[in-house]
């Protein structure tokens, strides 16, 4: 029995990422080197910070060009540092590209004999529409039916943060959150609903101030069993 990816052993090592392992007679021998993973993550974080710093001048220049293209005087006092601020802001708003669920989960997955529905509602979400680079924001409701493993509740919000801090469309964001939780916990089922307002509809285009977009992703039992799906939707109905 051979495994090429750590994700294939997910849930077998108390939430730790498997970086070195040996499989004989099933899973009788399994080596976990969590310290090595921690060092690797710190190294990757340092490299990411260095990459961001090296890219700032190009981003700053690009924002300067945009402002001048709009007819602004980039030498006036109010705009002197705006290109740099905008560049740093964009790096922060898209920092999810450099993060994975394993960066936030680590030791936060626990063995627990709990087989009932777990729901976290009203998780604030902010993202950027990839079509116009304007914000969309709203609430995320997450539910999962554990299979002997649970995750620290705050980590669900962190998973939302990872995927929302990218250029997104709401449909893909909803599915990515659900798939990430399913991969990490291997639960019986995962349900995710997002309700958001899109500034590309509110500030421009059709300019419909009160419009909301609702998307859902149902995996496992929530897709297969109408009663499970109805229970989740009933418990999240009216959540704001």
């Amino acid at each position: 029995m051979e495994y090429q990816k750590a994700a294939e052993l997910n849930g077998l090592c108390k939430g730790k990422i498997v970086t070195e392992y040996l499989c004989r007679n099933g899973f009788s021998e399994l080596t976990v080197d969590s310290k090595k993973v921690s060092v690797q993550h710190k190294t990757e974080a340092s490299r990411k910070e260095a990459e961001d710093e090296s890219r700032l001048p190009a981003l700053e220049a690009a924002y300067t060009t945009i402002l001048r293209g709009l007819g602004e005087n980039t030498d006036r006092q109010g705009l002197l540092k705006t290109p740099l601020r905008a560049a740093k802001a964009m790096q922060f708003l898209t920092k999810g590209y450099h993060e994975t669920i394993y960066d936030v989960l680590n030791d936060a997955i626990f063995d627990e004999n709990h087989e009932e529905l777990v729901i976290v509602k009203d998780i604030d979400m902010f993202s950027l529409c990839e079509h116009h680079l304007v914000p969309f924001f709203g609430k995320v409701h997450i539910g999962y039916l554990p299979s002997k493993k649970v995750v620290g509740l705050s980590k669900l919000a962190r998973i939302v943060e990872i995927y929302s801090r990218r250029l997104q469309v709401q449909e893909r964001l909803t599915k990515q959150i659900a798939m990430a939780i399913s991969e990490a916990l291997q639960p019986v089922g995962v349900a995710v609903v997002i309700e958001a307002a899109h500034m590309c509809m509110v500030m421009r285009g059709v300019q419909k101030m009160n419009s909301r977009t609702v998307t859902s992703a149902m995996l496992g039992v929530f897709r297969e069993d109408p009663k499970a799906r109805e229970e989740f939707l009933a418990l999240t109905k009216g959540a704001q």
Side-chain angles (χ1 to χ4, degrees):
M1 185 180 296
E2 296 182 356
Y3 287 88
Q4 302 300 321
K5 297 180 181 178
E8 294 181 59
L9 296 181
N10 199 17
L12 297 173
C13 303
K14 297 183 179 180
K16 295 181 179 178
I17 302 173
V18 177
T19 54
E20 298 179 5
Y21 46 85
L22 179 63
C23 294
R24 295 175 182 171
N25 300 322
F27 296 105
S28 58
E29 295 188 26
L30 194 62
T31 302
V32 179
D33 191 348
S34 59
K35 290 184 178 179
K36 186 175 182 179
V37 171
S38 178
V39 172
Q40 181 181 357
H41 285 172
K42 289 180 180 178
T43 301
E44 290 175 353
S46 297
R47 185 174 68 248
K48 188 264 181 183
E49 291 177 0
E51 288 177 353
D52 278 355
E53 191 69 25
S54 67
R55 292 170 179 170
L56 266 179
L59 284 172
E60 182 180 2
Y63 276 109
T64 300
T65 300
I66 290 172
L67 289 171
R68 289 174 179 169
L70 294 174
E72 270 288 1
N73 174 15
T74 55
D75 292 325
R76 68 179 178 86
Q77 185 179 21
L79 292 180
L80 284 177
K81 295 185 178 180
T82 295
L84 179 59
R85 294 191 193 102
K88 289 181 176 180
M90 183 58 74
Q91 286 183 335
F92 174 78
L93 295 174
T94 59
K95 65 186 181 72
Y97 285 119
H98 304 283
E99 299 173 336
T100 70
I101 57 172
Y102 302 111
D103 294 326
V104 302
L105 292 183
N106 281 336
D107 297 325
I109 297 178
F110 308 100
D111 295 320
E112 189 67 37
N113 188 26
H114 182 79
E115 298 178 343
E116 301 300 325
L117 182 58
V118 177
I119 294 178
V120 178
K121 301 190 295 185
D122 294 328
I123 300 171
D124 290 322
M125 178 278 300
F126 300 88
S127 191
L128 287 177
C129 168
E130 67 180 30
H131 299 146
H132 301 99
L133 299 186
V134 294
F136 67 94
F137 56 91
K139 302 288 186 179
V140 182
H141 315 305
I142 297 174
Y144 71 95
L145 198 61
S147 179
K148 306 297 184 180
K149 292 190 177 295
V150 298
V151 66
L153 298 179
S154 67
K155 301 303 182 182
L156 296 177
R158 292 292 302 277
I159 291 174
V160 171
E161 184 82 358
I162 288 171
Y163 292 102
S164 63
R165 294 302 188 185
R166 303 178 182 188
L167 302 183
Q168 281 286 11
V169 295
Q170 185 174 328
E171 298 88 341
R172 182 172 65 235
L173 173 61
T174 310
K175 184 176 181 180
Q176 285 178 334
I177 294 170
M179 292 295 293
I181 295 170
S182 181
E183 178 184 341
L185 293 181
Q186 298 182 358
V188 178
V190 179
V192 177
V193 169
I194 298 179
E195 181 175 354
H198 291 248
M199 290 299 99
C200 57
M201 289 184 65
V202 174
M203 297 177 65
R204 59 167 302 282
V206 294
Q207 299 182 50
K208 299 302 181 183
M209 300 297 295
N210 297 314
S211 65
R212 295 290 185 275
T213 300
V214 180
T215 52
S216 69
M218 305 288 171
L219 303 178
V221 69
F222 293 105
R223 174 180 288 273
E224 300 163 0
D225 186 349
K227 290 184 178 180
R229 183 165 60 251
E230 288 170 7
E231 179 183 6
F232 169 77
L233 294 175
L235 290 171
T236 57
K237 186 177 181 180
Q240 282 297 331

